[in-house]
Amino acid sequence: MKKLLRFAGLVAFWLGWPVLWVYLRGKARTRVIVECQGKILVVRSLLGTGKWQLPGGGLHRGEEPSVGAARELLEETGLSVRASELVPLNEVKTAKHTTIYGLTFLYYGFVVRIEQLPALRMQTLEITDIGWMDPADMHAGNTSKDVLAMLSTWQRTR
């Protein structure tokens, strides 16, 4: 069933790309690296290429990036953290050759470390898969380029 949902999401992503491009252009987004016991929390979105992503999403009008990141993390995974627990990683303007296919936007990266693996809950009709991955197993074949760039920055700053 997950494969069917991912396939439907990929088709919808490409069919809806012109609308997504107009809607997302110039919008700020968030991504959160959640690290626990050497693993990184990853999700697969319904709309997208099927590659692993970090939890996160768009900011509401006037919303502080850390507040939006904490909200998106809770919505997508069921994991609740306070905005004050999120450590800013950086602001990154994605390159045109990322998995966003020509769309350049600003995203705010955050990091949070938790001690114990929590129970997770996927957001219905937005997330098709959720899990924990070893960063060494994340590569261009299974993970989006913007996530790999963010992980590289994080690993250099640890």
Side-chain angles (χ1 to χ4, degrees):
M1 185 64 169
K2 286 182 184 181
K3 286 184 180 184
L4 180 61
L5 275 176
R6 278 198 296 269
F7 177 74
L10 181 62
V11 170
F13 174 78
W14 285 113
L15 291 175
W17 178 243
V19 173
L20 288 171
W21 191 87
V22 169
Y23 176 74
L24 294 174
R25 192 175 52 159
K27 302 255 177 144
R29 303 188 61 77
T30 64
R31 293 280 184 263
V32 182
I33 295 174
V34 179
E35 191 235 343
C36 183
Q37 301 174 4
K39 305 274 187 193
I40 302 296
L41 179 61
V42 291
V43 297
R44 282 193 178 126
S45 297
L46 175 62
L47 289 178
T49 61
K51 292 187 176 187
W52 291 109
Q53 298 279 336
L54 296 171
L59 293 172
H60 293 166
R61 185 179 307 262
E63 187 174 42
E64 288 294 321
S66 60
V67 172
R71 176 186 50 75
E72 285 287 344
L73 184 61
L74 177 62
E75 288 175 3
E76 291 183 358
T77 70
L79 181 60
S80 180
V81 300
R82 291 185 311 277
S84 61
E85 294 177 89
L86 297 172
V87 177
L89 182 60
N90 60 358
E91 287 180 20
V92 179
K93 196 164 190 172
T94 61
K96 291 186 179 182
H97 62 275
T98 67
T99 57
I100 308 303
Y101 302 103
L103 178 63
T104 301
F105 62 90
L106 180 71
Y107 73 86
Y108 295 89
F110 295 93
V111 178
V112 64
R113 187 171 191 280
I114 58 176
E115 296 300 320
Q116 295 183 358
L117 292 173
L120 299 172
R121 176 189 42 81
M122 288 189 305
Q123 184 176 27
T124 307
L125 297 178
E126 185 176 340
I127 304 299
T128 62
D129 208 355
I130 191 169
W132 295 93
M133 283 186 80
D134 186 317
D137 295 333
M138 299 170 82
H139 52 79
N142 66 7
T143 308
S144 68
K145 291 179 184 176
D146 60 316
V147 171
L148 294 174
M150 192 169 157
L151 286 174
S152 175
T153 300
W154 170 64
Q155 290 170 332
R156 284 193 313 269
T157 61
R158 303 196 307 174

